[in-house]
């Protein structure tokens, strides 16, 4: 049992990572903002947050060598959380400003709201608002995931122009609708949990997710963390 | 596509001068109302969807000293925080983001050098960059953009500037009617609607609200995705802080006097959200916001 587990928060020099760090602190975790592959390797859990452009983020991850450290970390079955751009970076490819290769940890694509929605100025992109997350068919409960304990229909804070489409839809654990389109707002694949919304900006409901992560890191061995019910 | 696909965001706006929360009328005659952190925490607990901090004298003095207040606030609240006022360089933006802001609102620096918007978007992502537009109506019915809290004219047409800002990559527009600001006479609905119809990015309306009905009107007819509220919320909060008179600077005579404000009855976030829900306008229910540390 670790008293104050260390969480590596991957830095690629865009946006505000401090809210992620403060949410970790709130939950009793030590959040370390880093782009050092060795720091990632040592951490009890890794969070890949994100705001900004897919291409620039991948370039930064590749330049520092942290992208390989992330792949190794996930492959070792250790607890990994992707947030917002972080869920998108896990995919194989994105169409944002031309095609880009992602981390390729989850087979799937990243699509734009703009090309899939009617180009009306009143359908605002980015989606910048609180919106509900719902359990999809096939995932009637959130037991065994970091969403466990939250009621269906909980409001979370979203800011994004793109969304993920995993090839295997069974890994989708939450869905959300925006302007008539339903998209994957959270997914889980073994030790990987990822969400399109920002738990650290979603008030008490979002902090619940950090608390769940902290509880698991304190009470279990790392390999069991996000596998939940499997242990 | 329905009229309002969005869940409307209710955003308390906190104008800050030095260490204090202030409020004026049309950006003038600033009164000290209390400590911004106290109001911010209260609004977080009460179900605010975001918070907006504006350093109202920053541009005037060429400074932004909100970082300490932002840092203290960001430790306690876990909803998005936008910070504006006097941000002139990429480093200025980085500093407030580092202190805990999620978005920055740019006006003066963006008007002076529109390329700055593009650079900021490239550095921090579109959704981090909000363009704040202060609009004043001209006698011929057109609108001119102002800077420095309504002090400086720009000769820019508000609608052309809004479209340009969106093209430069900004993620959101905050439009404030200077004519209505602090008056409680209601939003400039026509101004809001013309901007919202002209740009593909979210629009937040500010200036003039004193009742939930004003909010409902600007959402329904103004077609905005959020509202920035100040006096309407603050004057309801003042009672709680009358005891705290430890102010370092500013015009505190209003607080000390114990007077009520004649225009603003003081409305709570819960009352506003309930009123919107009753009228079929989607918003995050205040009851679900729960309490801090809950």
């Amino acid at each position: 049992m670790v008293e104050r587990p260390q969480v590596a928060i991957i830095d690629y020099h865009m946006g505000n990572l401090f809210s992620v760090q403060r949410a970790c602190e709130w939950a009793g975790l030590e959040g370390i903002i880093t782009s050092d592959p060795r720091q990632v390797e040592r951490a009890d859990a890794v969070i890949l947050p994100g705001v900004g452009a897919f291409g620039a983020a991948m370039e930064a991850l590749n330049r520092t060598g942290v992208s390989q450290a992330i792949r190794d970390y996930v492959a070792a079955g250790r607890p990994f959380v992707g947030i917002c751009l972080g869920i998108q970076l896990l995919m194989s490819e994105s169409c944002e400003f031309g095609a880009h290769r992602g981390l390729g940890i989850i087979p799937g694509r990243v699509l734009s709201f703009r090309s899939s929605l009617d180009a009306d100025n009143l359908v605002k992109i980015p989606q910048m608002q609180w919106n509900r997350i719902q359990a999809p068919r096939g995932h009637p409960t959130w037991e065994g995931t970091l969403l466990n304990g939250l009621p269906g229909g909980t409001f979370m804070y979203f800011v994004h122009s793109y969304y993920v489409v995993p090839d295997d839809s069974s890994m989708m654990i939450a869905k959300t609708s925006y302007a008539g389109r339903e998209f994957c707002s959270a997914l889980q694949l073994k030790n990987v949990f990822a969400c399109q919304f920002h738990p650290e900006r979603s008030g008490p409901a979002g902090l619940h997710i950090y608390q769940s992560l902290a509880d698991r890191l304190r009470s279990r061995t790392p390999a069991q963390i996000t596998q939940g019910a499997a242990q | 596509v329905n009229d309002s696909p969005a869940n409307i965001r209710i955003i308390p706006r906190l104008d800050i001068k030095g260490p204090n929360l202030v409020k004026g009328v049309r950006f003038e005659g600033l009164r000290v109302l209390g400590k911004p952190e106290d109001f911010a925490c209260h609004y977080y607990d009460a179900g605010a969807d975001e918070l907006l901090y504006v350093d109202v004298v920053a541009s005037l003095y060429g400074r932004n000293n909100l970082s300490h207040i932002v840092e203290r606030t960001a430790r306690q609240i876990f909803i998005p925080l936008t910070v504006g006022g006097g941000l002139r360089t990429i480093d200025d933006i980085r500093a407030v983001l580092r202190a805990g802001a999620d978005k920055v609102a740019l006006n003066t620096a963006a008007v002076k050098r529109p390329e700055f918007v593009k650079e900021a978007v490239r550095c921090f992502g579109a959704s981090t960059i909000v363009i704040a537009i202060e609009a004043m109506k001209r006698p011929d019915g057109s609108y001119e953009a102002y800077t420095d809290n309504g002090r400086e004219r720009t000769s820019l047409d508000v609608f052309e500037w809004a479209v340009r800002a969106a093209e430069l990559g900004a993620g959101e527009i905050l439009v404030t009617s200077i004519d209505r600001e602090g008056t409680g006479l209601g939003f400039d609905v026509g101004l809001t609607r013309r901007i919202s119809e002209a740009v593909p990015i979210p629009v937040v309306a500010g200036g003039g609200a004193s009742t939930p009905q004003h909010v409902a009107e600007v959402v329904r007819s103004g077609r905005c995705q959020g509202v920035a509220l100040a006096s309407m919320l603050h004057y309801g909060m003042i009672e709680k802080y009358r005891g705290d008179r430890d102010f370092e600077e500013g015009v505190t005579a209003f607080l000390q006097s114990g007077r009520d404000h004649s225009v603003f009855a003081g409305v709570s976030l819960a009352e506003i959200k309930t009123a919107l829900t009753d009228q079929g306008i989607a918003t995050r229910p205040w009851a679900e916001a729960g309490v801090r540390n809950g």
Side-chain angles (χ1 to χ4, degrees):
Chain A
M1 169 161 156
V2 189
E3 269 314 315
R4 193 169 156 77
Q6 292 192 338
V7 178
I9 301 165
I10 308 288
D11 186 9
Y12 39 91
H13 309 292
M14 292 180 79
N16 169 14
L17 305 183
F18 300 90
S19 59
V20 175
Q21 190 179 37
R22 292 200 174 98
C24 285
E25 280 168 20
W26 179 90
L29 300 168
E30 185 182 355
I32 300 162
I33 293 172
T34 182
S35 51
D36 179 355
R38 288 163 301 180
Q39 191 91 59
V40 168
E41 211 281 321
R42 279 198 297 271
D44 298 306
V46 170
I47 295 179
L48 180 61
V51 177
F54 190 100
M58 273 313 298
E59 199 181 291
L61 295 178
N62 287 331
R63 193 173 52 240
T64 53
V66 81
S67 53
Q68 191 53 46
I70 289 171
R71 287 193 196 93
D72 293 344
Y73 195 91
V74 170
R78 302 172 70 191
F80 186 90
V81 175
I83 295 169
C84 194
L85 185 59
I87 191 175
Q88 299 175 8
L89 293 168
L90 293 173
M91 299 290 138
S92 354
E93 60 172 347
S94 170
C95 65
E96 183 174 339
F97 302 119
H100 294 281
R101 284 170 63 88
L103 288 165
I105 288 168
I106 292 178
R109 290 167 303 148
V110 182
L111 298 182
S112 165
F113 276 129
R114 187 52 80 197
S115 58
S116 59
L117 294 171
D118 155 358
D120 188 337
N121 269 344
L122 291 168
V123 176
K124 300 298 187 178
I125 314 287
Q127 167 173 222
M128 193 182 283
Q129 63 163 355
W130 292 78
N131 205 344
R132 293 180 184 277
I133 59 167
Q134 306 277 5
R137 276 189 295 276
H139 268 280
T141 83
W142 285 327
E143 217 178 306
T145 79
L146 294 182
L147 300 178
N148 192 30
L150 292 170
T154 294
F155 277 83
M156 296 290 183
Y157 190 80
F158 289 82
V159 182
H160 63 129
S161 304
Y162 295 80
Y163 60 94
V164 299
V165 184
D167 289 349
D168 175 3
S169 63
S170 73
M171 62 181 71
M172 174 161 93
I173 58 170
K175 61 175 185 175
T176 296
S177 291
Y178 183 60
R181 173 156 295 261
E182 215 166 62
F183 65 92
C184 170
S185 48
L187 62 80
Q188 184 163 315
L189 176 63
K190 294 182 278 191
N191 52 317
V192 175
F193 169 86
C195 53
Q196 182 60 65
F197 53 87
H198 287 270
E200 66 285 348
R201 300 284 86 180
S202 296
L207 291 174
H208 177 90
I209 293 174
Y210 282 87
Q211 191 62 59
S212 299
L213 177 65
D215 290 347
R216 287 173 178 216
L217 290 175
R218 274 193 290 263
S219 63
R220 300 183 195 183
T221 61
Q224 295 171 312
I225 302 297
T226 51
Q227 293 178 2
Q231 50 87 46
Chain B
V1 179
N2 60 31
D3 263 353
S4 174
N7 293 307
I8 298 307
R9 288 171 284 149
I10 309 293
I11 307 170
R13 171 180 171 140
L14 287 78
D15 287 345
I16 296 168
K17 181 181 177 183
N20 295 326
L21 171 68
V22 295
K23 192 70 198 87
V25 175
R26 298 188 186 91
F27 291 125
E28 291 178 334
L30 300 176
R31 286 167 165 168
V32 171
L33 300 186
K35 293 271 182 260
E37 303 93 312
D38 294 339
F39 281 68
C41 288
H42 167 81
Y43 293 141
Y44 173 59
D45 290 342
D49 294 318
E50 295 186 15
L51 292 174
L52 170 62
Y53 274 12
V54 181
D55 185 334
V56 287
V57 293
S59 283
L60 197 60
Y61 298 126
R63 64 174 190 188
N64 184 291
N65 61 1
L66 277 189
S67 287
H68 291 300
I69 297 175
V70 169
E71 203 168 323
R72 283 198 296 272
T73 307
R75 289 188 187 286
Q76 303 176 67
I77 63 133
F78 293 93
I79 53 175
L81 172 62
T82 303
V83 173
L87 302 170
R88 290 159 189 278
T89 66
I90 294 296
D91 284 342
D92 287 346
I93 296 175
R94 189 170 283 122
V96 290
L97 294 178
R98 196 163 281 269
D102 298 284
K103 300 189 261 186
V104 291
L106 308 178
N107 182 359
T108 311
V111 164
K112 281 190 179 151
R113 201 170 65 79
E115 282 298 303
F116 179 54
V117 178
K118 211 180 240 181
E119 291 160 21
V121 167
R122 201 181 306 128
C123 283
F124 306 108
S127 59
T128 305
I129 307 301
V130 181
I131 296 301
I133 299 179
E134 295 161 11
M136 200 185 293
K137 201 170 192 169
R138 294 176 176 131
D140 68 357
S142 65
Y143 287 85
E144 181 174 350
Y146 278 64
T147 63
D148 300 270
N149 297 293
R151 286 184 210 97
E152 300 290 332
R153 303 177 61 163
T154 67
S155 79
L156 286 174
D157 174 81
V158 160
F159 306 106
E160 286 171 16
W161 173 229
V163 169
R164 180 86 202 282
E167 286 168 357
L168 288 164
E172 185 171 54
I173 287 179
L174 165 69
V175 56
T176 305
S177 161
I178 299 170
D179 308 289
R180 299 298 178 91
E181 205 279 332
T183 64
L185 298 172
F187 292 93
D188 187 332
V189 173
L191 165 72
T192 307
R193 182 178 183 126
R194 277 187 64 191
I195 290 185
S196 195
E197 288 177 344
V199 299
I201 56 178
V203 172
V204 172
S210 60
T211 68
Q213 196 50 41
H214 288 151
V215 177
E217 271 166 31
V218 79
V219 168
R220 188 167 286 127
S221 303
R223 308 190 129 190
C224 59
Q225 287 67 48
V227 291
L229 305 177
S231 305
M232 178 177 173
L233 294 171
H234 299 336
Y235 286 108
M237 272 289 294
I238 287 178
E239 288 305 316
K240 291 178 187 277
Y241 291 97
R242 287 230 193 261
D244 177 7
R245 290 181 183 157
D246 177 26
F247 296 105
E248 290 157 39
E249 56 183 83
V251 183
T252 58
F254 171 73
L255 272 188
Q256 315 258 358
S257 72
R259 276 188 293 133
D260 286 329
H261 191 286
S262 52
V263 179
F264 298 95
V267 182
S268 72
L269 283 158
E271 288 169 307
I272 296 165
K273 290 199 163 196
T274 303
L276 292 183
T277 305
D278 288 349
Q279 298 192 41
I281 294 170
T283 179
R284 176 177 68 134
W286 67 275
E288 274 186 38
V291 293
R292 189 151 37 109
N293 305 336

